[in-house]
Amino acid sequence: MESTAYTGSTRWDELVVNRIAINEPLQWLSKGWQDMRDAGRYSLAYGAAIVLISALITYLLYVTESQFLLPFLVAGFFLIAPFLGIGLYQMSAHLERGESLKTCNAVEAWKRNHTHISMITGGFLIIMQLWIASNYVLFSLLYEGISPPLDNFFENVFLSEKGRIFTIASIMVGFFFAWWAYMISVITVPILIDRKIDGFTAIRLSVKSVLKNMPAMMLWAFMIVLIVGIGLVTYYIGLLIALPLIGHASWHAYRALVPPS
């Protein structure tokens, strides 16, 4: 496939997506599990790399006494997770075609449509920065200084009256960012590495897939949050399995939602 993507536009009513059953995400998860087993060490190594990066970021937050940002970086993790799985989508594509995984990597996937994948990834990094910045603003409105005292951080943030206000406001802001990010990214990257298509058309296909299959896609969003959330609360160890599972399953979500070109 050529690395330069088609940049033409497709009208909304010309975008074709499939209608799926509400329990379809369970099949994606099953197929994702099978891909993870077939990929073996390649899939687990990919998950391990993300676990190590997550642990390093957390360590740096504690070293710089910025651990008050940790809950919001965890929430922001869900915003960029679709792009962290690019190598996993590529593995599933190779398995689908019966090809070897020895030369399969994220760079290969990125090269297929590097201009538009880079553009979309940059956009979501900006969204994540806006999410973090919004929490800085909320902190500055409720506390003196850049953050609450670290000696009783949990009590100040989550149990005090100010903390409850902050938590409610943060959840509302986070839900706004997360839902829109989910709609425009749920199958965008798999589309871009599989088809000669521009980024805006891929985003619109993703949004239309969600709007046309709202019950099933809400279930899929819940499953993603639950599985990745378990990985996060197990001190990231669970991400070793959770991220590859969701990444491979997301490839099958794309295959189910968008008809063959």
Side-chain angles (χ1 to χ4, degrees):
M1 183 181 294
E2 297 177 9
S3 60
T4 302
Y6 170 70
T7 56
S9 179
T10 303
R11 288 167 36 189
W12 178 263
D13 57 353
E14 295 176 343
L15 298 174
V16 180
V17 297
N18 293 325
R19 188 175 295 278
I20 61 173
I22 189 172
N23 62 344
E24 184 83 12
L26 297 175
Q27 297 182 32
W28 304 341
L29 211 58
S30 176
K31 293 177 179 178
W33 178 258
Q34 185 60 52
D35 280 0
M36 189 172 68
R37 292 181 60 184
D38 292 342
R41 67 180 186 276
Y42 299 103
S43 186
L44 290 177
Y46 199 94
I50 297 178
V51 169
L52 290 175
I53 293 172
S54 300
L56 177 61
I57 292 174
T58 302
Y59 172 75
L60 291 175
L61 288 177
Y62 275 88
V63 169
T64 58
E65 296 187 345
S66 301
Q67 54 265 52
F68 73 96
L69 281 177
L70 184 58
F72 317 114
L73 284 177
V74 168
F77 180 86
F78 288 94
L79 298 178
I80 62 170
F83 303 95
L84 296 178
I86 185 171
L88 298 166
Y89 311 145
Q90 185 72 350
M91 290 181 202
S92 287
H94 275 244
L95 291 171
E96 187 178 86
R97 297 190 295 264
E99 298 174 356
S100 171
L101 297 181
K102 291 182 179 180
T103 59
C104 178
N105 55 68
V107 175
E108 176 195 359
W110 175 76
K111 285 181 177 179
R112 287 181 174 273
N113 203 341
H114 60 86
T115 300
H116 292 274
I117 292 175
S118 299
M119 177 186 68
I120 298 299
T121 303
F124 272 84
L125 288 174
I126 292 174
I127 292 177
M128 185 175 179
Q129 290 173 347
L130 290 173
W131 158 244
I132 295 173
S134 68
N135 284 285
Y136 266 112
V137 173
L138 289 173
F139 265 120
S140 67
L141 293 175
L142 294 173
Y143 301 100
E144 295 181 3
I146 195 171
S147 69
L150 297 178
D151 55 349
N152 54 354
F153 174 80
F154 184 83
E155 291 80 1
N156 273 320
V157 174
F158 298 106
L159 299 181
S160 67
E161 182 177 355
K162 284 184 178 182
R164 285 192 293 271
I165 295 173
F166 171 80
T167 301
I168 293 171
S170 182
I171 289 173
M172 292 176 63
V173 173
F175 180 82
F176 173 81
F177 279 111
W179 181 249
W180 280 101
Y182 172 73
M183 284 207 302
I184 66 179
S185 69
V186 63
I187 56 172
T188 298
V189 179
I191 293 174
L192 289 175
I193 69 173
D194 187 53
R195 305 191 183 205
K196 193 177 179 183
I197 194 172
D198 66 278
F200 293 109
T201 299
I203 287 175
R204 286 184 291 169
L205 278 167
S206 182
V207 171
K208 192 167 187 177
S209 296
V210 174
L211 295 179
K212 190 173 181 178
N213 300 283
M214 188 64 73
M217 298 310 289
M218 289 181 69
L219 174 61
W220 181 228
F222 172 77
M223 292 169 66
I224 292 173
V225 172
L226 177 63
I227 294 172
V228 176
I230 292 173
L232 291 170
V233 299
T234 54
Y235 299 97
Y236 304 148
I237 300 300
L239 292 178
L240 184 67
I241 301 296
L243 289 178
L245 177 59
I246 294 298
H248 291 303
S250 294
W251 174 262
H252 294 285
Y254 153 62
R255 283 301 199 205
L257 288 165
V258 183
S261 59

